[in-house]
Amino acid sequence: MEKHVELQDFDNVVLRNRRDKDSISEVKGQEFDRDRYELARVGKEQVLKRRFGLVSMTGLSCGLMCTWESLLVIFLTGFQNGGPAGLIYGFILIWLGNFSVFICIGELASAVPTAGGQYHWVSLLAPRSNKRFFSYITGWLTVIGWIAALTSVCFFVSDLVLQLASLNNPDTYVRENWHATLLLWAVLMLCVCINVFVSGALPTIEVIVLIVHVLGFFGILVPLVYLTPAHNTAKDIFTTFHNKGQWPTQALAFFVGLQGNALAFVGTDSVVHMSEEVRNASTDVPRSMLMSLGINGTLAVGLLLAVLFSATDIEQLLIEESSLSPFIRIFQTAVGSNAGATIMVCIIIALEFCSAMGCLAAASRMTWSFARDRGLPFSRALSMIDKRTTIPVVAILVVTVFAALLSLINIGNSAAFNGTISLVLEGFYLSYLLALGLLLWRRVRGDLDSQNAELAIFNASPLHPEAYDRSLTWGPWRLKGALGVANNAVAICYLLLIIFFSFWPTQVNPTPDLMNWAVVVTGGVAAFSVLYYVAFARKSYTGPIVEIDPHVM
């Protein structure tokens, strides 16, 4: 039931709830819903059901990131350019950089806990003259990035299944590109069934995923360490660098190899796009992101060290011609049997599937939110919520269809397909950079620290969306003072570094198959979004739409 509350009452409730975040306050004898109020502050109405808590969201984020699992899948990138030492030191750099970035993302998510995330923040932070343009570009990069992420994770699953077929049937199985695409479609369909038909059980499933994620780590670590007949020395691991890409200097090779480690942390912001389904979102969304970074980073460091210490002939494995990934051959050598290696890879396949399941959930919520604000074609249909399940079923289906269409590229040209899904890192990191750059600008100006800014939204006309660009204030979770400014600056420097080197190929003078097509794909998406904005969207897209009068709760 909607409740009319006086302005001063709202102010008192906000201050009281931010001191005691888990309490439910009473306003003039009526129950106060803090999550509903946080959405109303930025003009959004609560339409999704809040099913998730801190543990289930941490499970979704950990399972979607799949850091230690993904580190194995993309092991070759960092090993060729960096070597054992480069992998370890590079991973630590990436891990710390992500902590810096997601502390800032957490601050924004605490202030504006909506499913839109980056494009919504950019709209509130950017100057009024160009906030619509920057918000629109950010929204497109994020939507396309999530669709590419879903496609890439599903491809990992299908690719690993086919590699197991090659491992166990080397003489009879002949792999074709369409095999991976067909299997990818099957993975997508299973993800859709879980997200649509058992959506109510998704929080429980994500808690189970978190448990399996941790237990699966030990299921790989123990046989890898104890069954390996010989181990490398610490000197071999911590002082050996490689430059297989033949770059002019070892330092340059190290930075080129960072993109492999960076990909292992993609998807941390999935919680942001689920925030309208999270209880106590303004505090638990930032907490779950940092908790997942801590858990996944710790597990990944442990597994990386185990692989590097246990695999005594990695270079030989890389030289040999094989249809199997290096980590599968490492497993095979370590345990001494195809059966043992198959079981270990099956654990990774199961967890990568869980990542795909969470990826579809986050991608559909981001798509639904951008459509809700008229940022996409056919926005009215895409923003529909199924009344029975209270989830965006249409957005789930559309995201799935586009991921399936994207996978068709793999049939014709696997190099072009790899170039397309390489948009994942660039799409996410560019959206982070825009949001955090504007946050630092506002932070230095002191725009978010005004004592009267908390009430600015209530003094603005609810029918005038541009009034909301003065309403962004700090949420209950943030770094204060100079420490927050310094961390914000460090996060931007880290993002610039990774974005710059993520466009580099893995070796000097690459062939078309080894070329990094990310710059072409990212530039193409950016150019298309700009043209579409100029031709059509600038007339319909005004930034996040004000759906509810914040005076009325």
Side-chain angles (χ1 to χ4, degrees), residues 67-273:
T67 303
W68 66 262
E69 302 92 333
S70 299
L71 202 61
L72 291 173
V73 176
I74 56 179
F75 177 82
L76 187 61
T77 302
F79 190 83
Q80 287 183 323
N81 292 294
L87 271 171
I88 294 171
Y89 303 136
F91 182 86
I92 293 172
L93 172 63
I94 296 296
W95 192 14
L96 294 176
N98 273 275
F99 265 114
S100 178
V101 168
F102 284 99
I103 286 172
C104 294
I105 295 293
E107 291 175 316
L108 290 169
S110 180
V112 185
T114 68
Q118 294 94 305
Y119 83 86
H120 199 144
W121 306 331
V122 166
S123 179
L124 293 173
L125 292 167
R128 181 175 299 181
S129 59
N130 50 28
K131 69 171 189 172
R132 290 194 298 168
F133 175 75
F134 283 126
S135 173
Y136 188 79
I137 300 301
T138 303
W140 264 97
L141 285 171
T142 310
V143 168
I144 299 299
W146 273 109
I147 293 175
L150 174 62
T151 309
S152 63
V153 174
C154 291
F155 179 76
F156 284 161
V157 175
S158 63
D159 181 63
L160 290 177
V161 171
L162 295 179
Q163 289 197 57
L164 284 185
S166 298
L167 173 66
N168 292 284
N169 303 280
D171 299 325
T172 58
Y173 177 66
V174 179
R175 179 170 174 171
E176 301 288 347
N177 285 350
W178 64 268
H179 295 173
T181 298
L182 194 61
L183 194 54
L184 187 153
W185 289 354
V187 174
L188 277 173
M189 290 303 298
L190 190 54
C191 289
V192 170
C193 290
I194 293 173
N195 271 271
V196 173
F197 298 111
V198 292
S199 59
L202 202 56
T204 303
I205 293 173
E206 294 301 343
V207 173
I208 296 172
V209 168
L210 178 60
I211 296 171
V212 175
H213 180 69
V214 176
L215 294 179
F217 164 78
F218 290 102
I220 300 293
L221 183 74
V222 172
L224 190 61
V225 172
Y226 284 97
L227 296 180
T228 301
H231 294 85
N232 293 313
T233 65
K235 183 179 179 180
D236 294 332
I237 298 305
F238 291 100
T239 62
T240 303
F241 291 88
H242 290 162
N243 184 2
K244 302 295 184 181
Q246 299 180 343
W247 298 103
T249 65
Q250 182 61 60
L252 184 56
F254 170 80
F255 286 113
V256 171
L258 287 178
Q259 55 187 296
N261 283 324
L263 282 168
F265 284 100
V266 163
T268 311
D269 66 320
S270 58
V271 186
V272 170
H273 305 299

Side-chain angles (χ1 to χ4, degrees), residues 45-65:
E45 184 179 3
Q46 179 71 54
V47 294
L48 301 177
K49 186 175 181 180
R50 295 188 181 269
R51 300 182 174 94
F52 292 88
L54 178 60
V55 176
S56 56
M57 268 293 98
T58 304
L60 184 141
S61 184
C62 282
L64 194 151
M65 289 163 63

Side-chain angles (χ1 to χ4, degrees), residues 118 137-146 148 266 269 421-434 499 502-503 518 522 525:
Q118 294 94 305
I137 300 301
T138 303
W140 264 97
L141 285 171
T142 310
V143 168
I144 299 299
W146 273 109
V266 163
D269 66 320
I421 63 176
S422 67
L423 179 65
V424 175
L425 188 62
E426 289 78 10
F428 287 150
Y429 272 39
L430 285 170
S431 70
Y432 300 160
L433 181 63
L434 280 168
I499 289 170
S502 67
F503 292 115
T522 306
V525 170

Side-chain angles (χ1 to χ4, degrees), residues 18 107 111 439 443 448-449 454 472-476 478-479:
R18 287 183 176 176
E107 291 175 316
L439 174 64
R443 204 167 201 152
L448 307 178
D449 297 317
E454 178 68 54
L472 181 60
T473 58
W474 293 119
R478 71 179 179 108
L479 280 182

Side-chain angles (χ1 to χ4, degrees), residues 9-18 25-27 32:
D9 290 330
F10 268 120
D11 187 29
N12 293 334
V13 169
V14 173
L15 296 176
R16 185 163 61 250
N17 273 272
R18 287 183 176 176
S25 301
E26 296 288 323
V27 181
F32 180 76

